[in-house]
């Protein structure tokens, strides 16, 4: 195994950062210290550091030193997107059509009981529409315990997801993405035949220990995709 | 591992440390995974036991590994969530579930970029690209079709790799430092060949992930990963 020294230094730190052993905000040793540790010149150290810099893994703060950078993440499983914003970003007109809305006690389902806690559930079903055509259907439950204001919220034009993002800061989100063939009511709402492939997104969000909402979204496979980018800046092309 | 020429400038024990760190950084070794034994590393890297011992002890004192006499050396628990750049590795994912993994290489050839690929890679139409199709299996059942194009500039040895031993992703992680990645996920119907390869039921949709990665500002690889909808999902949990 032959490897140049600057490659070794770069690879060492890349592995430590990506492996999680150095966290965002951790300070890297000074150039002097690195020169000493690896027994090399300042030029070698700088060559390694500039590769880590351009990879977005570290950042230089004037007078303070070199630190592990906070990852610029936009990840489909780590983020809670605003559908209305996403549709606009694609250059399409967004509309929300409410389908069903009621306050009810939780059913037998464990999921519903945990979400309701000591209160009720607001069930909000609706349709996401892009340029006049259905894009996705949404089945949502919100805890009235955690978000009492949801009961009287104006959700006729603003989708509940967007309303929640604006009103309720979340601290934890769990997302599952799968592919399913749409069935029954949902196929009719989406104006497609049963079995049409759809991207199914299930998400649970918390604020601290408190569950806020559970949502199941079905997006038409041919009309919707989820994009995630990792690394510095947005790719071109 | 060589102790002659340019490599002599880099202490051998540092090279061993780098090797172990790369195994962790690429996801091949996860938190709590057992690190290959000293004997295994001596054989694998062709260095002395003393060199391996020093490297592992160094990493232990840095908190990267934990060493327990009589038990073994393990990757320490990370106190932070894994960096998002840690690209999913299907082989490791399957093994982490405690299942058996194997790959079937369906295709490995030199191809010409068509209009669409030329656009994805930012190269001229007809530019050469390496093309591989690998069928990944979990417990002997097909779980992913990986159809991948690679820029020969970033991975010149791609065509001589053995993808039953190392996945295309592992090969690329090893030879080309990952700079950024773009994932696009959608649901779609498989074509009849794909449905048959993945042993899918009639009418079952696929989860499709298109992944583009960059190395040194150029598109290194463009892969389309197909999963049977009934047997796979992407999941993640994030704490702000």
């Amino acid at each position: 195994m032959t490897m140049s020294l600057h490659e070794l230094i770069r690879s060492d730190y890349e592995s430590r950062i990506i492996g999680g052993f150095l966290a965002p905000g951790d300070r890297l040793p000074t150039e002097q210290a690195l020169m000493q540790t690896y027994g090399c010149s300042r030029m070698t150290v700088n060559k390694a550091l500039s590769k880590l810099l351009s990879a977005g893994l570290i950042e230089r703060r004037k007078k303070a030193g070199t630190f592990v950078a906070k990852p610029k993440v936009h990840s489909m499983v780590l983020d809670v997107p605003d559908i209305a914003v996403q549709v606009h970003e694609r250059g399409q007109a967004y509309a929300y059509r409410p389908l069903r809305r009621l306050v009810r006690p939780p059913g037998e389902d464990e999921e519903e009981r945990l979400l309701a806690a000591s209160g009720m559930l607001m069930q909000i079903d609706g349709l996401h529409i892009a340029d006049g055509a259905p894009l996705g259907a949404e089945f949502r439950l919100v805890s009235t315990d955690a978000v009492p204001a949801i009961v009287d919220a104006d959700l006729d034009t603003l989708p509940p997801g967007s309303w929640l993002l604006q009103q309720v800061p979340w601290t934890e989100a769990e997302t599952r993405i799968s592919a399913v063939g749409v069935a029954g009511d949902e196929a009719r709402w989406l104006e497609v035949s049963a079995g049409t492939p759809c991207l199914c997104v299930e998400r649970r969000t918390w604020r601290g220990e408190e569950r806020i909402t559970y949502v199941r979204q079905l997006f038409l496979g041919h009309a919707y995709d989820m994009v995630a980018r990792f690394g510095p800046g947005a790719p071109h092309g | 591992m060589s102790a002659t020429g340019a490599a002599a400038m880099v202490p051998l024990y540092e090279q061993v440390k780098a090797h172990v760190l790369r195994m962790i950084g690429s996801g091949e070794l996860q938190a709590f995974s057992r690190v290959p034994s000293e004997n295994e590393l001596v054989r694998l890297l062709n260095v002395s036991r003393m060199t391996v011992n020093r490297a592992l002890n160094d990493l232990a004192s840095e908190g990267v590994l934990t060493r327990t006499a009589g038990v073994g050396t393990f990757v320490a628990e990370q106190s932070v969530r894994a960096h998002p750049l840690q690209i999913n590795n299907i082989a490791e994912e399957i093994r982490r579930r405690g299942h058996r993994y194997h790959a079937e290489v369906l295709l490995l050839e030199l191809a010409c970029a068509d209009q669409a690929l030329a656009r994805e890679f930012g190269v001229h139409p007809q530019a050469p690209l390496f093309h591989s199709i690998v069928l990944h299996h979990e417990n002997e059942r097909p779980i992913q079709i990986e159809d991948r194009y690679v820029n020969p500039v970033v991975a010149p040895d791609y065509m001589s790799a053995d993808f039953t031993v190392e996945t295309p992703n592992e090969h690329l992680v090893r030879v080309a430092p990952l700079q950024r990645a773009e994932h696009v996920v959608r649901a779609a119907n498989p074509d009849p060949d794909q449905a048959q390869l993945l042993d899918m039921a009639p009418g079952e949709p696929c989860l499709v992930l298109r992944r583009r990665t960059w190395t040194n500002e150029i598109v290194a690889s463009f892969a389309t990963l197909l999963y049977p909808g009934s047997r796979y999902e992407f999941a993640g949990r994030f704490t702000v």
Side-chain angles (χ1 to χ4, degrees), chain A residues 148-226:
Chain A
I150 191 81
V151 178
D152 295 318
D154 176 10
L155 298 172
D156 282 337
T157 49
L158 186 68
S162 306
W163 187 92
L164 285 166
L165 281 172
Q166 289 166 18
Q167 302 291 331
V168 186
W170 60 274
T171 59
E172 192 165 340
E174 182 195 77
T175 306
R176 290 171 189 278
I177 299 168
S178 59
V180 299
V182 67
D185 281 349
E186 286 153 355
R188 257 179 285 117
W189 291 344
L190 290 169
E191 297 171 16
V192 293
S193 46
T196 301
C198 287
L199 198 64
C200 177
V201 179
E202 271 186 290
R203 188 176 291 116
R204 296 161 179 80
T205 51
W206 287 258
R207 177 181 46 202
E209 290 299 312
E210 221 179 8
R211 286 177 184 246
I212 303 171
T213 183
Y214 165 82
V215 69
R216 181 171 178 269
Q217 298 166 323
L218 282 181
F219 295 103
L220 290 176
H222 61 263
Y224 184 81
D225 49 39
M226 293 186 90

Side-chain angles (χ1 to χ4, degrees), chain B residues 98-226:
Chain B
H99 295 161
R100 287 181 305 281
Y101 165 80
H102 85 269
E104 198 183 329
V105 182
L106 301 177
L107 185 120
L108 179 56
E109 67 180 15
L110 186 63
C112 283
D114 60 17
Q115 293 278 42
L117 285 170
R119 228 188 352 251
E120 293 285 354
F121 278 89
V123 295
H124 297 302
Q126 300 309 307
L129 293 173
F130 296 144
H131 184 201
S132 63
I133 303 181
V134 176
L135 184 62
H136 301 277
H137 297 76
E138 178 163 5
N139 283 348
E140 284 72 53
R141 204 151 176 224
I143 188 72
Q144 184 199 95
I145 301 175
E146 176 193 346
D147 189 329
R148 184 185 292 271
Y149 289 90
V150 172
N151 190 329
V153 165
V154 304
D157 296 325
Y158 194 77
M159 296 286 283
S160 44
D162 181 354
F163 295 132
T164 61
V165 162
E166 177 185 56
T167 67
N169 182 61
E170 283 164 356
H171 178 95
L172 289 171
V173 162
R174 204 167 40 75
V175 307
L178 174 68
Q179 202 177 15
R180 53 171 188 257
E182 179 189 70
H183 288 183
V184 181
V185 169
R186 54 176 25 201
N189 279 325
D191 67 36
D193 289 334
Q194 292 166 337
Q196 190 181 39
L197 281 174
L198 287 173
D199 192 20
M200 291 170 63
E204 188 184 340
C206 279
L207 197 52
V208 184
L209 165 58
R210 300 173 84 128
R211 175 191 292 156
R212 233 178 356 157
T213 57
W214 282 255
T215 293
N216 296 330
E217 301 299 331
I218 48 177
V219 178
S221 152
F222 176 70
T224 304
L225 311 178
L226 233 66

Side-chain angles (χ1 to χ4, degrees), chain A residues 1 3 11-12 15-16 19-21 73 76 78 171-177 179 221 225-230 235, chain B residues 1 15 18 21-22 24-25 62 78 80 84 180-185 187 206 214 233-240:
Chain A
M1 177 204 293
M3 185 189 247
S11 165
D12 260 4
S15 304
R16 274 176 233 259
F21 294 101
V73 176
M76 70 192 81
L78 300 184
T171 59
E172 192 165 340
E174 182 195 77
T175 306
R176 290 171 189 278
I177 299 168
D225 49 39
M226 293 186 90
V227 183
R229 297 194 172 96
F230 308 85
Chain B
M1 201 167 278
Q15 293 187 46
L21 282 171
R22 263 198 306 280
I24 298 171
E62 287 170 35
Q78 293 119 284
V80 286
R180 53 171 188 257
E182 179 189 70
H183 288 183
V184 181
V185 169
C206 279
W214 282 255
E233 67 179 11
F234 296 122
R237 193 158 176 146
F238 182 61
T239 307
V240 158

Side-chain angles (χ1 to χ4, degrees), chain B residues 2-52:
Chain B
S2 166
T4 59
M9 301 302 286
V10 179
L12 278 176
Y13 79 88
E14 285 287 354
Q15 293 187 46
V16 174
K17 281 169 71 176
H19 182 92
V20 174
L21 282 171
R22 263 198 306 280
M23 287 171 84
I24 298 171
S26 70
E28 188 185 340
L29 287 177
Q30 298 280 313
F32 306 119
S33 294
R34 178 189 279 272
V35 169
S37 70
E38 287 193 3
N39 284 334
E40 286 171 323
L41 285 170
V42 164
R43 259 198 312 270
L44 182 69
L45 303 173
N46 200 30
V47 294
S48 76
R49 199 193 169 106
M50 195 169 81
T51 301
V52 167

